Amino acid sequence: MNHIKVADLMTDEVVSVPPGTTVKEIAKVLAQHDISGVPVLDDEDRVVGVVSQTDLLALTPPQAHTQSAIPPTAGKIMSAPAVTTHAEDTAADAARLMTRRGIERLPVVDIEDRLVGIITRRDLLRMFLRPDAEIRQRVNDTLNDVLAVPAGDIDVHVIDGIVTLNGRVHQQSQLRSLVSLIERIEGVVAVASHVTARVDDTASTSVAGGRSALPW
């Protein structure tokens, strides 16, 4: 999760509203798109706040309705300033921010606070919903295609996204990138590696480097 960026999970097409949108119109938008909140944008597409179902439910219905009454708008009831994230932030950072602030979604903004996407808790949960069989296949593909480990040299077991590796690789140097590459596969929760190496090529490299540095 530390290697996955917000950009990899966010939704590019975002439903938003301007500050002058009435509460009734906001409720229609949420129902129409089956979403629980919308960012509020100014004239330059900068995120100035967020209106959620919670904000709507917090409104107290007026005891009397008159034609002269001015209906509340997004700009009046929105939560501001908006809690946002950036596309280059990690999914782990976004998850921690949502948990800390008790929110369900984060508008994704550029360096000038203009809206470029949105990420929700549902998007983050997608990482852990990948079938174990599919994760296992991706791990085997990585071992064979990226690390050039012959098929059968490493046994791969995946349960609830936790990958367990048993076996041997040819060179010690291959172990350096083994776990880090597999951790980056979408859906992997953790990696337990019990892989050993047949040849310690790191020691010979160190000795060679030391010899070349000796004065003659």
Side-chain angles (χ1 to χ4, degrees):
M1 195 168 179
N2 286 325
H3 303 287
I4 300 175
K5 302 297 184 183
V6 168
D8 299 324
L9 300 173
M10 72 180 191
T11 300
D12 296 325
E13 297 182 4
V14 186
V15 178
S16 61
V17 297
T21 308
T22 65
V23 167
K24 185 175 181 179
E25 292 170 333
I26 296 171
K28 286 182 179 179
V29 169
L30 297 184
Q32 180 181 353
H33 295 277
D34 191 25
I35 53 179
S36 59
V38 287
V40 182
L41 308 185
D42 65 12
D43 293 337
E44 297 183 358
D45 289 338
R46 288 191 296 258
V47 180
V48 294
V50 173
V51 176
S52 67
Q53 290 176 336
T54 302
D55 295 319
L56 295 180
L57 294 174
L59 293 174
T60 303
Q63 295 181 349
H65 296 273
T66 64
Q67 283 191 329
S68 61
I70 300 176
T73 61
K76 297 291 186 181
I77 69 168
M78 67 184 183
S79 299
V83 181
T84 61
T85 186
H86 295 87
E88 64 272 17
D89 291 341
T90 67
D93 288 337
R96 282 191 288 266
L97 182 57
M98 285 186 192
T99 301
R100 187 167 65 248
R101 301 299 292 267
I103 54 181
E104 299 289 333
R105 73 206 58 76
L106 286 172
V108 185
V109 298
D110 62 15
I111 194 171
E112 296 181 357
D113 288 332
R114 290 186 300 241
L115 185 69
V116 297
I118 197 163
I119 187 168
T120 67
R121 292 195 179 195
R122 184 182 301 176
D123 296 325
L124 294 171
L125 286 173
R126 280 190 341 216
M127 295 186 298
F128 303 108
L129 297 179
R130 196 168 197 174
D132 288 340
E134 187 177 335
I135 295 173
R136 184 175 184 274
Q137 183 60 54
R138 286 294 306 276
V139 171
N140 281 320
D141 290 344
T142 300
L143 292 173
N144 299 335
D145 300 339
V146 180
L147 295 173
V149 176
D153 279 16
I154 296 180
D155 292 326
V156 180
H157 299 278
V158 184
I159 300 177
D160 294 334
I162 300 175
V163 179
T164 303
L165 307 172
N166 292 282
R168 302 183 76 184
V169 294
H170 182 62
Q171 296 177 325
Q172 183 79 16
S173 58
Q174 291 176 287
L175 297 177
R176 297 175 179 175
S177 53
L178 180 68
V179 173
S180 62
L181 284 172
I182 294 174
E183 283 179 338
R184 298 178 187 179
I185 296 174
E186 184 177 335
V188 171
V189 176
V191 178
S193 177
H194 307 290
V195 179
T196 59
R198 298 183 180 91
V199 177
D200 186 358
D201 58 326
T202 58
S204 60
T205 301
S206 175
V207 171
R211 285 176 179 171
S212 64
L214 290 175
W216 293 98

